[in-house]
Amino acid sequence: MRPLRNVIYVQTQNSWLHKDNENLVLKVDKETIARIPIHKLQGLVCFGQVSVSPYLMAHCAENGVTITFLNMFGKFLARVEGPVSGNVLLRRTQHLAGNSSESSVNIAQVMLTGKLYNQRYVIRRYLRDHGETITDKKVLFDLQTAEKRLSRCLTQITDCTTIDTLMGREGEAAQVYFGVFNHLIRQKDFEFDIRRRRPPSDPVNALLSFCYTLLIHDCRSALETTGLDPASGFLHQLRSGRPSLALDIAEEFRPLIDRFVLTLINKRQLVVKDFETWPNGSLTLKDEPRKTLLAAWQDRKQDTILHPWFEETVPIGILPWLQSQILARFLRGDCDSYVPFLWK
Amino acid sequence: MKTMQNLEPIYLSRLQHYLYCSRQFALIELEDVWIENQFTAEGQVLHQRVNLADQQKRGDVRTVWALRLSNIEFGIEGVADVVEYHRQEAGIEIPYPIEYKRGKPKTHRADEVQLCAQALCLEEMHGVDVTDGALFYGEVRRRHPVHFDAELRNLTIEIILACRAIVQSKVTPKAFYEAKKCNGCSLIDQCHPERFRKSASSWLAAQLKKD
Ligand code: SF4
């Protein structure tokens, strides 16, 4: 298996990154804070006021290290990337498949199957770990019902023949799943009502949105590495500037993020006062807690998990890369279907 | 034979990939899959010495390093590590290609085929018969002479045509798992020869039914 290289998140404001021989050097106020060999890196993500020397950019580009610039709130600004792999045959096949509604539905269906399966796992896992300690009968009933309804949604997904109906089923499943999400939160100062994206106006939604951004970044890099075009998706419609395929393959991993967020909250690694409220009602993490979150995310990516299709235990961080490979192999005709990552 | 001069050339070094595994050849040629592993890195260090084009004359032998070669008839091209030009009494120079290889002589003929393809290039470029060459193995540090007989020539041409067919069809051959071959293959993590043997759709259906 491919060794998992690290993604470095730089969020110290006014820091300066440059290249010294084969190393990346991070300086703040002229003082060297870190020095990392570039060959150990997979990506570099800069939040806010972070400057990067052109020589470092060139060196990263040459070595397949993607640099992403996000604003303070994690909104995508720009990306520096080396020449895309000349995998023109694969990209053409991908575009042709994207143009055919039949192939698009097939692939999207499998991806959503993975998502629902993994959503159901989040609930099952909670019932398994905490089922006996749930004293509130209604909570237990709600969770059990949601688990059953998700099973039904899973079967219905398999019968869909258009992207629209798939999206409809996915929406129903999301309602079921997020309808009981609050039951999974064991710190009652964190209230979750509904999933709200723009702008996230409660801590749970803010955390979910922020972590999904990190996930999509990783999915995008994985697709680039595999030679697929991240902008051309099957489930998500094409829209200029949108990494549709990265959003597509991120679907099956969202439940993993949800559980990661639940763990952060339930273990009180983050608390409500770690968030800052803005005049438009949106919430963001303050600097220090964000560092805590990014460190936890890095650790999480090193944890291993069983990939049932490969029948191998792999670091969580390489899952997007493995799924990109399966997708590429399917598009090239090496196997008869795309298979999602199933969380077991 | 139909001339191949309008075709994209096939690199000499890729012929040995094909001989190792036709899928490996296709992954590299069609899919740009290439993972630098310890072996390829070692190979490069060994090659660095011969990577700079240069020539030197000593007595009747002119030695040329990193010589670019091509054969238009077969549509192949590449670089020879070393070609010695042996001056005959009649004044003509007969090329004698030498290829550097990591490791030791192998049981399969991949290295010989690559060398023979170089000979085909040299014959076309100079209009002379090239009957012999040598492989130099890093591990045993010895020259291993190779004679380009009809059998080796036919094998070489067969391999070139098979490679050409893959390039034209743009289809990567399916994985064929063979423990000895695949476990020594630097592309195993991209190829997953074992996994893609099973049917993905029935696997998925079975998983969903299970629970
Ligand atoms: S892993 Fe095996 S089948 Fe795949 S390219 Fe290598 S040798 Fe060929």
Side-chain angles (χ1 to χ4, degrees):
Chain A
M1 280 294 155
R2 185 176 209 245
L4 175 63
R5 293 194 290 174
N6 270 316
V7 179
I8 301 283
Y9 302 94
V10 184
Q11 51 160 2
T12 312
Q13 297 307 287
N14 299 315
S15 52
W16 163 245
L17 291 159
H18 68 103
K19 166 178 162 345
D20 180 19
N21 287 320
E22 300 299 307
N23 295 309
L24 171 159
V25 177
L26 166 65
K27 278 189 182 154
V28 180
D29 295 333
K30 303 215 165 86
E31 203 183 313
T32 301
I33 306 289
R35 175 182 288 272
I36 302 144
I38 292 168
H39 72 266
K40 293 213 165 130
L41 289 186
Q42 189 151 40
L44 181 62
V45 181
C46 306
F47 289 91
Q49 278 299 328
V50 174
S51 309
V52 178
S53 88
Y55 292 102
L56 178 63
M57 288 190 199
H59 196 70
C60 284
E62 257 170 39
N63 288 279
V65 179
T66 301
I67 307 178
T68 308
F69 293 94
L70 306 175
N71 77 3
M72 286 283 291
F73 309 120
K75 182 176 174 290
F76 177 81
L77 297 175
R79 161 187 304 268
V80 178
E81 208 151 34
V84 283
S85 113
N87 224 317
V88 60
L89 297 176
L90 175 62
R91 286 190 177 218
R92 191 169 65 179
T93 316
Q94 178 193 342
H95 294 151
L96 288 174
N99 241 348
S100 137
S101 58
E102 199 194 324
S103 326
S104 295
V105 169
N106 283 341
I107 298 171
Q109 195 172 48
V110 174
M111 289 168 163
L112 289 182
T113 301
K115 178 181 190 176
L116 267 59
Y117 189 99
N118 296 338
Q119 284 178 332
R120 186 180 66 179
Y121 179 84
V122 171
I123 294 175
R124 278 194 178 170
R125 180 72 191 263
Y126 189 86
L127 282 168
R128 196 172 81 200
D129 292 350
H130 303 286
E132 295 186 345
T133 59
I134 301 175
T135 44
D136 188 333
K137 286 251 163 52
K138 181 172 180 308
V139 169
L140 189 61
F141 177 79
D142 284 354
L143 286 172
Q144 286 165 339
T145 313
E147 196 264 351
K148 285 197 199 85
R149 287 181 65 193
L150 283 175
S151 294
R152 204 167 63 233
C153 292
L154 258 174
T155 335
Q156 289 167 336
I157 284 273
T158 337
D159 298 332
C160 293
T161 50
T162 64
I163 293 287
D164 281 349
T165 46
L166 272 175
M167 286 297 235
R169 295 298 185 201
E170 191 263 342
E172 283 167 35
Q175 264 180 13
V176 172
Y177 173 77
F178 283 115
V180 294
F181 201 72
N182 197 39
H183 292 336
L184 310 179
I185 299 171
R186 298 163 73 79
Q187 304 297 343
K188 284 311 161 198
D189 43 349
F190 280 85
E191 260 306 310
F192 178 86
D193 181 12
I194 52 164
R195 172 77 188 119
R196 189 193 298 276
R197 291 175 190 83
R198 292 182 204 93
S201 50
D202 63 273
V204 181
N205 269 302
L207 279 177
L208 289 175
S209 292
F210 185 77
C211 294
Y212 290 156
T213 309
L214 300 179
L215 168 70
I216 288 157
H217 167 269
D218 289 355
C219 289
R220 188 174 172 149
S221 305
L223 293 167
E224 289 282 359
T225 315
T226 314
L228 289 159
D229 179 356
S232 173
F234 302 102
L235 174 66
H236 290 87
Q237 299 302 302
L238 303 189
R239 189 189 294 166
S240 137
R242 178 155 89 168
S244 302
L245 188 60
L247 295 172
D248 281 4
I249 67 161
E251 289 297 341
E252 49 197 273
F253 301 124
R254 284 179 195 265
L256 275 83
I257 300 290
D258 303 339
R259 183 124 190 277
F260 169 71
V261 166
L262 287 171
T263 308
L264 288 175
I265 296 173
N266 288 343
K267 294 211 167 137
R268 294 202 85 73
Q269 281 168 286
L270 292 175
V271 292
V272 169
K273 65 174 185 358
D274 287 335
F275 293 82
E276 195 164 347
T277 313
W278 298 88
N280 62 351
S282 73
L283 257 90
T284 55
L285 267 180
K286 292 176 186 162
D287 278 356
E288 278 306 313
R290 186 161 49 193
K291 277 185 197 157
T292 312
L293 181 146
L294 291 172
W297 174 242
Q298 279 297 63
D299 288 348
R300 184 70 185 133
K301 289 207 285 188
Q302 306 289 338
D303 288 347
T304 55
I305 196 164
L306 173 76
H307 194 298
W309 163 257
F310 285 108
E311 293 171 339
E312 227 172 300
T313 303
V314 299
I316 285 182
I318 74 164
L319 288 176
W321 188 74
L322 290 176
Q323 291 310 116
S324 308
Q325 278 205 329
I326 299 179
L327 182 59
R329 297 258 68 100
F330 165 63
L331 290 169
R332 291 182 186 286
D334 274 358
C335 51
D336 59 351
S337 170
Y338 171 66
V339 280
F341 164 72
L342 297 181
W343 199 1
K344 295 189 170 256
Chain B
M1 172 163 301
K2 203 173 111 228
T3 171
M4 299 201 181
Q5 49 190 314
N6 297 325
L7 301 175
E8 280 293 309
I10 290 175
Y11 291 102
L12 292 173
S13 51
R14 300 265 162 102
L15 299 178
Q16 49 180 335
H17 297 145
Y18 179 89
L19 276 152
Y20 189 80
C21 167
S22 59
R23 180 171 166 91
Q24 190 194 63
F25 168 81
L27 288 173
I28 296 166
E29 183 72 37
L30 300 177
E31 305 192 16
D32 282 332
V33 169
W34 189 244
I35 281 291
E36 180 123 351
N37 69 6
Q38 192 200 343
F39 299 113
T40 58
E42 267 176 31
Q44 263 166 18
V45 173
L46 189 66
H47 268 95
Q48 257 162 20
R49 204 158 28 102
V50 286
N51 255 348
L52 292 171
D54 196 8
Q55 58 175 322
Q56 204 180 75
K57 220 177 151 183
R58 238 188 232 154
D60 279 340
V61 179
R62 180 159 60 120
T63 309
V64 186
W65 286 270
L67 183 66
R68 289 197 53 177
L69 304 174
S70 72
N71 176 310
I72 293 168
E73 184 189 350
F74 292 114
I76 50 178
E77 70 172 53
V79 180
D81 285 342
V82 176
V83 180
E84 288 180 356
Y85 286 87
H86 295 252
R87 201 179 172 80
Q88 308 299 105
E89 269 158 26
I92 45 166
E93 288 183 311
I94 300 295
Y96 183 90
I98 305 169
E99 184 69 12
Y100 285 73
K101 292 289 170 197
R102 168 187 64 80
K104 43 187 179 216
K106 304 179 185 72
T107 46
H108 55 77
R109 306 199 73 182
D111 295 342
E112 284 156 81
V113 163
Q114 194 192 344
L115 192 69
C116 180
Q118 293 183 5
L120 295 178
C121 294
L122 288 163
E123 287 183 337
E124 193 192 75
M125 290 161 74
H126 298 296
V128 295
D129 288 343
V130 179
T131 55
D132 294 277
L135 292 161
F136 183 90
Y137 286 100
E139 202 167 294
V140 291
R141 308 206 58 77
R142 209 177 7 209
R143 269 194 194 188
H144 173 86
V146 177
H147 181 61
F148 307 124
D149 58 13
E151 191 196 331
L152 180 57
R153 281 170 191 269
N154 288 338
L155 176 66
T156 305
I157 293 169
E158 206 181 284
I159 302 298
I160 296 170
L161 295 179
C163 287
R164 171 70 61 205
I166 288 185
V167 173
Q168 273 169 345
S169 73
K170 297 188 173 52
V171 176
T172 305
K174 288 242 178 351
F176 179 68
Y177 182 74
E178 219 181 278
K180 212 173 127 224
K181 178 183 71 165
C182 296
N183 294 339
C185 173
S186 49
L187 303 188
I188 190 164
D189 280 349
Q190 271 97 335
C191 171
H192 299 294
E194 274 192 290
R195 291 302 149 245
F196 288 102
R197 277 197 301 190
K198 56 186 173 198
S199 156
S201 54
S202 35
W203 178 86
L204 184 57
Q207 298 299 316
L208 294 176
K209 216 191 248 156
K210 235 190 247 170
D211 26 37

